[in-house]
């Protein structure tokens, strides 16, 4: 088995690894780090949870330790699809670079341009950014990418889902041809292959086995049911969800409820709150400060249930949870494996429940084909619109309860989008240059209590 000492990392980096408490490199680290240190381009096929962040940050720190940053010309660039992921990469850098003097800047939406400009003006070794925000800075003339020695693209498959590929191509073209590129993606869609062929130079491909299996520690169940009509689907699902949560009782200490659409994240969160649950939500349209606060609350166990979209939750280092609820059947089968992989970690027990309506059956079939096993069906009685006898009630017998009336309307409006792609994040693909947002001020906004220390320096 490869040891960290075999990888060729500098003593200062090794010391930081020791402090963090890692014993052995993960497979992606063992494979990618030596090539990255040699200066090779690396194409890493790895999912989140494999230790890929350290796989690129450690060699970057080792290499950047030599040399100095010049004003407005960062020496390295890490692109991440969401603000949270970018902030998480920044936290990793902080941890691993504590014995090396490196200046960093995090360019994400929700943080004041002015503060970010100040950092860039001073000169940074490492720039960590979401694509849209990076291009905003570039277009404001505040940033030159011609000094980039190392560029990392993290979670390229998510970038593709979110429509960022044109931005990524543009950013590649703004950086020097001589740069080293470390490119990570969980899957290799044709569009991603095309980009890597165009912008990577003879890359070393390193791959860790795709996660197509689910942990044996996780008890999986799916509830397939048919509400009386599509208008009450949302309410039926929420009632069902609450029934399951009630049945789980004390087994449930903390759980994540995944929805396919942002609108449902909001609706489910409000509904759970109304029914007395301790709950928070994260998705790409929510205010950054709120998102960070919710995550912190969930990590500290102040919040029991987190309602989330895949994009917002993807790659987030969330502690083990007892329960995962798939409010919707994920459209991409692999998302099921990611979602339920949040529970049953480190040998602990976990429970994963999924709600499946008839029109979601095709996605359920896809998941079962991927994990190569049927997901056990569960029958559960709910006091809701799912019961057949209610179809016999006169149509206008009773208006929906006040608290549920709004969600049903909202769902009816978005019904057509059921099979749409997963929720898009706030950082949308850019169509035309954007100026600074009106709400800039001198304060670092949007990071709650989690402002990485380097932003405060
Ligand atoms: P990532 O896939 O980069 O999001 O990392 C997933 C988790 O693995 C993070 O919590 C890391 O702190 C942790 N991790 C990364 N490298 C190692 C390692 N060599 N040994 C143990 N844990 C690690």
């Amino acid at each position: 088995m490869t040891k960290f000492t075999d990888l060729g990392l500098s003593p200062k980096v090794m010391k930081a690894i020791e402090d963090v408490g890692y014993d052995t490199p993960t497979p992606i680290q063992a494979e990618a780090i030596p090539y990255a240190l040699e200066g090779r381009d690396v194409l890493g096929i790895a999912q989140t949870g494999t230790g890929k962040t350290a796989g690129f940050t450690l060699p970057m720190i080792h290499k950047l330790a030599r040399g100095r940053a010049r004003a407005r010309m960062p020496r390295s660039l890490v692109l991440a699809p969401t603000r949270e992921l970018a902030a998480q990469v920044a936290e990793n850098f902080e941890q691993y670079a504590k014995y090396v003097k490196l200046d960093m800047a995090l360019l994400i939406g929700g943080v004041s341009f002015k503060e970010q400009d100040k950092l860039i003006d001073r000169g940074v070794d490492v720039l960590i950014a979401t694509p849209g925000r990076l291009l905003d800075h570039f277009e404001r003339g505040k940033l030159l990418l011609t000094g980039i020695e190392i560029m990392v693209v993290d979670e390229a498959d998510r970038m593709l889902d979110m429509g960022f590929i044109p931005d990524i191509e543009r950013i590649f073209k703004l950086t020097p041809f001589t740069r080293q590129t470390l490119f990570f993606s969980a899957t290799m869609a044709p569009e991603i292959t095309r980009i890597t062929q165009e912008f990577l130079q003879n890359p070393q491909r390193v791959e860790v086995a795709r996660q197509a299996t689910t942990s044996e520690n996780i008890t999986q169940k799916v509830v397939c049911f048919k509400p009386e009509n599509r208008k009450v689907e949302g309410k039926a699902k929420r009632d069902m969800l609450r029934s399951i949560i009630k049945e789980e009782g004390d087994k449930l200490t903390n759980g994540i409820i995944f929805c396919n659409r942002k609108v449902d994240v909001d609706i489910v969160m409000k509904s759970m709150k109304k029914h007395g649950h301790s709950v928070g939500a994260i998705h790409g349209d929510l205010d950054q400060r709120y998102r960070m606060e919710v995550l912190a609350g969930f990590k500290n166990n102040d919040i029991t249930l987190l309602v989330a979209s895949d994009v917002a939750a993807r790659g987030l280092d969330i502690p083990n949870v007892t329960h995962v609820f798939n409010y919707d059947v994920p459209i991409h089968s692999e998302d099921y494996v990611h979602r339920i992989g949040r529970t049953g970690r480190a040998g602990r027990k976990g429970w994963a429940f999924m709600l499946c309506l008839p029109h979601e059956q095709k996605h359920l079939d896809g998941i079962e084909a991927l994990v190569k096993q049927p997901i056990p069906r569960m029958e559960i009685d709910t006091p809701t619109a799912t019961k057949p006898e209610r179809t016999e009630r006169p149509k206008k017998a009773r208006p929906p309860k006040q608290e549920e009336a709004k969600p049903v309307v909202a769902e009816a409006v978005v019904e057509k989008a059921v099979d749409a792609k997963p929720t898009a994040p706030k950082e949308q693909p850019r169509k035309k240059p954007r100026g600074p947002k009106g709400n800039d001020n001198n304060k670092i906004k949007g990071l709650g209590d989690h402002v990485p220390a380097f932003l405060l320096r």
Side-chain angles (χ1 to χ4, degrees):
M1 190 188 278
T2 314
K3 295 194 286 275
F4 269 114
T5 43
D6 301 332
L7 299 181
L9 291 162
S10 68
K12 285 181 179 169
V13 176
M14 291 298 296
K15 194 156 180 258
I17 295 171
E18 225 172 85
D19 289 357
V20 184
Y22 299 159
D23 288 339
T24 41
T26 65
I28 193 81
Q29 291 163 3
E31 284 203 56
I33 292 173
Y35 292 115
L37 290 176
E38 270 177 34
R40 291 278 303 270
D41 280 3
V42 172
L43 171 56
I45 322 271
Q47 288 163 343
T48 186
T50 54
K52 66 180 165 54
T53 318
F56 62 78
T57 44
L58 297 175
M60 282 177 81
I61 295 163
H62 173 108
K63 298 187 88 178
L64 294 168
R66 283 190 194 170
R68 291 294 317 137
R70 284 191 281 160
R72 293 189 188 181
M73 288 182 74
R75 298 169 62 209
S76 68
L77 172 65
V78 181
L79 292 172
T82 63
R83 298 165 179 188
E84 280 86 356
L85 271 175
Q88 204 166 282
V89 171
E91 276 170 25
N92 273 263
F93 260 104
E94 283 228 296
Q95 263 185 328
Y96 305 139
K98 65 195 234 196
Y99 299 113
V100 180
K101 173 145 181 28
L102 288 180
D103 290 315
M104 282 177 275
L106 177 63
L107 302 191
I108 53 177
V111 179
S112 121
F113 273 96
K114 215 165 174 181
E115 284 300 326
Q116 296 177 334
D117 284 346
K118 244 195 255 170
L119 287 169
I120 296 170
D121 279 350
R122 254 190 264 149
V124 291
D125 301 283
V126 184
L127 193 57
I128 302 161
T130 48
R133 188 61 161 208
L134 180 86
L135 287 171
D136 277 341
H137 276 273
F138 180 78
E139 277 157 9
R140 292 164 78 247
K142 298 286 182 186
L143 180 64
L144 284 169
L145 296 175
T146 43
I148 297 291
E149 298 159 31
I150 307 172
M151 172 162 155
V152 176
V153 179
D154 194 16
E155 306 247 343
D157 50 331
R158 278 289 134 167
M159 304 259 197
L160 176 68
D161 282 350
M162 292 160 70
F164 284 153
I165 294 299
D167 285 355
I168 299 296
E169 285 191 77
R170 192 166 158 221
I171 296 166
F172 263 126
K173 287 177 185 160
L174 295 171
T175 61
F177 174 73
T178 49
R179 65 167 192 268
Q180 179 184 11
T181 310
L182 310 175
F183 191 101
F184 290 85
S185 187
T187 54
M188 289 301 290
E191 188 66 354
I192 303 235
T193 306
R194 182 185 67 74
I195 294 257
T196 57
Q197 285 168 347
E198 185 171 350
F199 296 106
L200 271 63
Q201 313 276 333
N202 185 26
Q204 178 63 45
R205 190 180 164 111
V206 296
E207 191 163 353
V208 292
R210 266 178 67 195
Q211 215 183 332
T213 51
T214 48
S215 160
E216 283 171 10
N217 305 328
I218 307 171
T219 306
Q220 301 174 58
K221 291 276 164 64
V222 58
V223 189
C224 295
F225 64 109
K226 188 174 188 314
E228 70 183 41
N229 63 54
R230 291 197 78 165
K231 276 193 181 160
V232 296
E233 277 181 352
K235 174 166 168 38
K237 273 193 166 183
R238 293 190 297 279
D239 288 347
M240 186 66 84
L241 178 66
R242 286 198 308 275
S243 298
I244 299 171
I245 289 174
K246 202 169 161 203
E247 293 256 313
E248 287 304 284
D250 293 342
K251 266 195 298 184
L252 192 160
T253 58
N254 57 349
I256 306 180
I257 302 165
F258 282 101
C259 301
N260 289 355
R261 298 172 297 176
K262 286 178 279 191
V263 64
D264 288 324
V265 171
D266 290 334
I267 292 168
V268 172
M269 197 268 282
K270 282 179 194 152
S271 164
M272 297 302 288
K273 202 173 238 172
K274 269 181 189 151
H275 285 86
H277 291 279
S278 145
V279 61
I282 50 165
H283 67 62
D285 281 354
L286 291 168
D287 173 72
Q288 180 69 10
R289 180 181 290 273
Y290 174 81
R291 280 153 68 172
M292 294 309 232
E293 277 170 10
V294 166
L295 271 182
F298 189 64
K299 285 182 184 176
N300 306 334
N301 289 327
D302 292 338
I303 292 173
T304 309
L305 292 169
L306 180 68
V307 192
S309 67
D310 288 294
V311 168
R314 175 99 176 194
L316 290 183
D317 199 13
I318 291 171
N320 182 64
V321 297
T322 57
H323 285 68
V324 167
F325 301 97
N326 287 287
Y327 178 83
D328 302 299
V329 179
I331 295 161
H332 302 295
S333 308
E334 282 163 17
D335 284 341
Y336 178 75
V337 182
H338 291 148
R339 288 181 181 185
I340 77 163
R342 303 293 182 165
T343 183
R345 287 187 171 187
R348 274 173 284 201
K349 276 191 169 188
W351 288 267
F353 292 92
M354 181 154 66
L355 307 182
C356 177
L357 298 179
H359 67 81
E360 296 178 291
Q361 182 64 43
K362 55 181 182 291
H363 303 312
L364 175 58
D365 295 343
I367 291 167
E368 292 184 319
L370 176 74
V371 301
K372 297 191 181 67
Q373 61 180 50
I375 302 171
R377 270 46 176 182
M378 181 173 87
E379 301 269 331
I380 185 161
D381 257 353
T382 70
T384 71
T386 58
K387 290 198 171 169
E389 58 265 30
R390 295 193 72 179
T391 54
E392 281 149 35
R393 252 194 3 220
K395 266 198 177 133
K396 287 187 181 169
R398 195 163 55 91
K401 267 193 249 159
Q402 190 58 38
E403 69 184 55
E404 298 290 6
K406 265 194 212 147
V408 171
V409 172
E411 279 154 15
V413 171
V414 295
E415 208 61 75
K416 282 188 205 132
V418 161
D419 280 346
K421 282 196 161 190
T423 53
K426 185 136 192 149
E427 280 107 21
Q428 293 291 346
R430 300 158 44 73
K431 292 199 178 66
K432 57 179 186 220
R434 282 186 299 209
K437 302 237 160 60
N439 62 353
D440 269 356
N441 58 35
N442 290 339
K443 214 164 148 259
I444 297 176
K445 288 196 293 187
L447 289 174
D449 295 334
H450 285 267
V451 181
F454 65 85
L455 277 178
L456 298 168
R457 267 180 226 141

